[in-house]
């Protein structure tokens, strides 16, 4: 049995997952964030080993063969996966957060039933769209794609262990922390 809790955080794009996770990492030095592997090219300002490990499709497929991923899936013609050894090593040191989509999260639960799944939900659809637009990191076409995916992501909430509404940010962060403290 590993030492830490494996906490999987999902939710539609723009709901505030990254913001919440950053605050949790600042509050708790014993929590690590897993870095996924992807075959997509880095965007401006993304560096290897920071946002993702950027690897070739051939290398990714080799890792699939070797059983190197806890889970993986394809989005918009690129592969994304959670590196198994990386996560298991970090779990020996403390808690580990995975910030991945619903399909990946439900696949993690199949291989690691002790994983705790937490869905971050917006207070309303309007608030979600406003946050996504307000962030200013995607063009209109990409925003439309992410909005189209939001309902699907949220439809999986009943399969999650916890649902947290990110209305007031600090309250949402407190709730995630309470899950790690096993208080709720
Ligand atoms: P995600 O990682 O889920 O795609 P982000 O963390 O990038 O989302 O958040 C999207 C935008 O919403 C950011 O501009 C962030 O500052 C803002 N945001 C996050 N949480 C809240 C909140 N509780 N209230 C208002 N705005 C928020
Ligand atoms: P982006 O290219 O915008 O960073 O991510 C595209 C999609 O890939 C998002 O829905 C994101 O949640 C998902 N994703 C990122 N990392 C992983 C991962 O390790 N596994 C899975 N299944 N999906 C991931």
């Amino acid at each position: 049995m590993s030492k830490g809790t494996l906490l999987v955080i999902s939710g539609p794009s723009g709901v505030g997952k990254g913001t919440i996770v950053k605050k949790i990492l600042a509050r708790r030095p014993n929590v690590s964030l897993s870095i996924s592997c992807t075959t997509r090219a880095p965007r401006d300002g993304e560096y290897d080993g920071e946002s993702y490990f950027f690897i070739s499709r051939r290398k990714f497929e080799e890792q699939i063969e070797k059983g190197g991923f806890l889970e993986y899936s394809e989005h918009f013609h690129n592969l994304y996966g959670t590196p198994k050894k990386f996560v298991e090593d970090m779990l020996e040191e403390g808690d580990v957060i995975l910030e991945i989509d619903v399909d990946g999260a439900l696949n993690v639960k199949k291989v690691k039933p002790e994983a705790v799944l937490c869905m971050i939900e917006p207070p309303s659809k309007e608030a979600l769209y406003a946050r996504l637009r307000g962030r200013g990191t995607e063009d209109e076409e990409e925003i439309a794609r992410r909005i189209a995916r939001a309902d699907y992501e949220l439809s999986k909430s009943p399969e999650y262990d916890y649902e947290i509404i990110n209305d007031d940010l600090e309250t949402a962060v407190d709730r995630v922390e309470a899950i790690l403290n096993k208080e709720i």
Side-chain angles (χ1 to χ4, degrees):
M1 199 58 186
S2 47
K3 188 174 159 208
T5 298
L6 182 58
L7 179 67
V8 185
I9 295 201
S10 309
S13 183
V15 76
K17 301 179 296 294
T19 308
I20 291 172
V21 167
K22 213 177 281 173
K23 284 189 173 275
I24 293 285
L25 295 176
R27 282 190 192 182
R28 298 175 71 103
N30 72 326
V31 179
S32 317
L33 176 64
S34 164
I35 302 172
S36 299
C37 295
T38 182
T39 61
R40 85 153 161 74
R43 299 184 185 125
D44 279 352
E46 285 185 334
Y47 300 100
D48 189 48
E50 252 179 52
S51 356
Y52 287 104
F53 294 113
F54 295 99
I55 64 175
S56 67
R57 183 168 277 262
R58 210 191 60 174
K59 203 159 169 214
F60 198 107
E61 284 167 351
E62 259 171 42
Q63 282 303 317
I64 296 175
E65 287 292 309
K66 288 186 190 155
F69 293 113
L70 210 48
E71 61 74 38
Y72 66 92
S73 59
E74 185 144 11
H75 302 271
F76 311 121
H77 311 297
N78 286 301
L79 291 161
Y80 294 80
T82 305
K84 192 169 169 183
K85 185 169 184 327
F86 184 73
V87 168
E88 285 174 350
D89 287 352
M90 287 192 304
L91 275 172
E92 292 302 321
E93 307 297 321
D95 299 333
V96 178
I97 296 180
L98 306 183
E99 197 193 314
I100 56 176
D101 75 317
V102 289
D103 296 334
L106 294 171
N107 282 332
V108 167
K109 189 81 175 178
K110 280 185 204 149
V111 292
K112 287 206 178 281
E114 71 277 18
V116 178
L117 304 193
C118 174
M119 178 71 80
I120 309 293
E121 299 176 355
S124 67
K125 290 276 164 64
E126 292 70 27
L128 177 65
Y129 305 159
R131 283 180 198 173
L132 197 49
R133 288 217 158 75
R135 184 168 67 181
T137 46
E138 287 86 18
D139 61 24
E140 276 302 316
E141 192 186 332
E142 184 62 33
I143 288 174
R145 208 153 41 185
R146 287 170 186 243
I147 286 175
R149 171 101 183 156
D151 283 338
Y152 172 71
E153 297 262 336
L154 291 170
S155 76
K156 299 290 179 184
S157 287
E159 293 176 60
Y160 274 60
D161 298 300
Y162 295 94
E163 295 173 48
I164 294 180
I165 298 177
N166 181 22
D167 191 354
D168 174 64
L169 179 60
E170 292 305 320
T171 307
V173 176
D174 287 346
R175 289 211 60 206
V176 174
E177 204 171 19
I179 294 172
L180 288 173
N181 290 337
K182 301 187 169 60
E183 289 165 359
I184 54 172

